[in-house]
Amino acid sequence: MIYRARDLHFQYWLDRHPVPALRGVSLEIAEAESLVLSGPSGSGKSTLLSLLGLIEPVQAGGIRFLGEEMAAISEGRRNELRRHEIGFIFQNFQLFPTLSAEENVEYFLIRQGIPTLERKKRVKHALETVGLWNRRHHRPLELSGGQRQRVAVARAAAKHPKVILADEPTASLDQQTGREILSMLDALRSDHQTTLVIASHDPMVLERAGRIYRLADGLEVTS
Ligand SMILES: Nc1ncnc2c1ncn2[C@@H]1O[C@H](COP(=O)(O)OP(=O)(O)OP(=O)(O)O)[C@@H](O)[C@H]1O
Ligand SMILES: [Mg+2]
């Protein structure tokens, strides 16, 4: 198992009032699985992704990631796992506006300490795969929305992560581009056994899911 999450509870705080976002979520995710988190707006999908991505701390319950209990490891180790094993694709891309497409893809590889030659090779391969090598010098604002999303996919893929977490990766795209993005993610899964966890309510994404985990109001819907 890549993930074993047990009885996760999570709440945000707003003006000193707790806002419950997860109310006892348990799930296991196997290697090379393609799992879609679905559910209405506010059901806790993004929150669950940020816990699985080791971005938010576990408040109650537990997460085992690659055999390590998250509550038992140091912050340094957690950062290392996040940096090396997890690729993120955010709905709003979160690309660095002042960096070119090429530099955006390269950025995390530098932080990972990948040597220059290997890094250049991975960046080129990732940008070629998403069909944007000829746009490598463009900054995000000089790219279309779909192209930005493809840079985000290239950036996540170049890391060679164990798992890619994607939050509504098709939401701002037309159907054709959305389908291309999903095919790229599927290719990563079949070529590199990359596990995919995608939060989405796009019917096209649900149709292609290996498994669907349905959330409502911070809980799994089982019926
Ligand atoms: N930063 C925050 N501060 C306070 N409450 C928050 C915060 N982020 C999310 N919430 C609340 O937590 C609950 C779960 O939100 P979450 O973003 O996980 O839902 P979601 O399923 O991703 O929704 P969407 O489909 O709209 O993206 C919601 O009730 C939301 O209002
Ligand atoms: Mg969300």
Side-chain angles (χ1 to χ4, degrees), residues 64-83:
R64 247 183 129 68
F65 176 55
L66 298 173
E68 291 183 69
E69 190 60 46
M70 290 305 106
I73 63 174
S74 67
E75 193 177 336
R77 176 65 185 147
R78 203 155 43 239
N79 290 338
E80 192 174 282
L81 284 170
R82 192 189 313 110
R83 193 172 296 164

Side-chain angles (χ1 to χ4, degrees), residues 40-47 49 91 167-168 199-201:
S41 179
S43 58
K45 303 180 296 294
S46 297
T47 304
L49 275 188
Q91 183 177 356
D167 202 352
E168 312 273 2
S200 179
H201 36 230

Side-chain angles (χ1 to χ4, degrees), residues 11-220:
Q11 57 190 25
Y12 296 95
W13 287 89
L14 202 62
D15 300 332
R16 298 196 190 166
H17 295 290
V19 182
L22 298 178
R23 301 186 299 136
V25 164
S26 297
L27 84 165
E28 299 196 338
I29 306 175
E31 179 153 13
E33 195 174 1
S34 155
L35 178 72
V36 173
L37 307 176
S38 112
S41 179
S43 58
K45 303 180 296 294
S46 297
T47 304
L48 182 53
L49 275 188
S50 60
L51 284 170
L52 297 176
L54 317 183
I55 293 172
E56 294 283 2
V58 172
Q59 293 175 344
I63 295 182
R64 247 183 129 68
F65 176 55
L66 298 173
E68 291 183 69
E69 190 60 46
M70 290 305 106
I73 63 174
S74 67
E75 193 177 336
R77 176 65 185 147
R78 203 155 43 239
N79 290 338
E80 192 174 282
L81 284 170
R82 192 189 313 110
R83 193 172 296 164
H84 292 274
E85 311 293 2
I86 304 175
F88 295 96
I89 300 171
F90 297 99
Q91 183 177 356
N92 52 4
F93 318 127
Q94 300 207 3
L95 299 173
F96 299 105
T98 59
L99 301 185
S100 69
E102 188 174 20
E103 291 161 341
N104 262 288
V105 176
E106 192 171 10
Y107 179 83
F108 287 111
L109 302 184
I110 296 175
R111 281 198 14 194
Q112 256 183 296
I114 310 278
T116 313
L117 273 180
E118 165 72 12
R119 213 166 65 215
K120 299 288 177 199
K121 204 173 86 186
R122 282 203 206 176
V123 170
K124 182 156 192 267
H125 182 254
L127 281 174
E128 278 175 352
T129 306
V130 301
L132 286 179
W133 181 242
N134 66 344
R135 291 283 186 272
R136 65 188 173 281
H137 300 308
H138 289 232
R139 284 172 295 176
L141 280 175
E142 298 154 357
L143 295 167
S144 73
Q147 289 172 336
R148 276 175 230 167
Q149 186 66 301
R150 283 191 272 156
V151 174
V153 172
R155 182 174 64 174
K159 249 185 172 187
H160 295 177
K162 270 270 188 291
V163 51
I164 289 186
L165 306 176
D167 202 352
E168 312 273 2
T170 60
S172 48
L173 306 177
D174 63 78
Q175 274 224 339
Q176 178 56 30
T177 314
R179 198 171 293 125
E180 282 170 23
I181 296 286
L182 292 177
S183 298
M184 282 170 205
L185 292 174
D186 276 339
L188 284 173
R189 196 168 71 82
S190 44
D191 296 350
H192 302 287
Q193 266 63 62
T194 313
T195 306
L196 299 178
V197 185
I198 304 175
S200 179
H201 36 230
D202 181 345
M204 188 168 76
V205 178
L206 293 171
E207 212 169 87
R208 301 171 61 139
R211 175 161 66 108
I212 299 175
Y213 187 92
R214 293 181 197 281
L215 277 169
D217 210 6
L219 280 173
E220 181 181 12

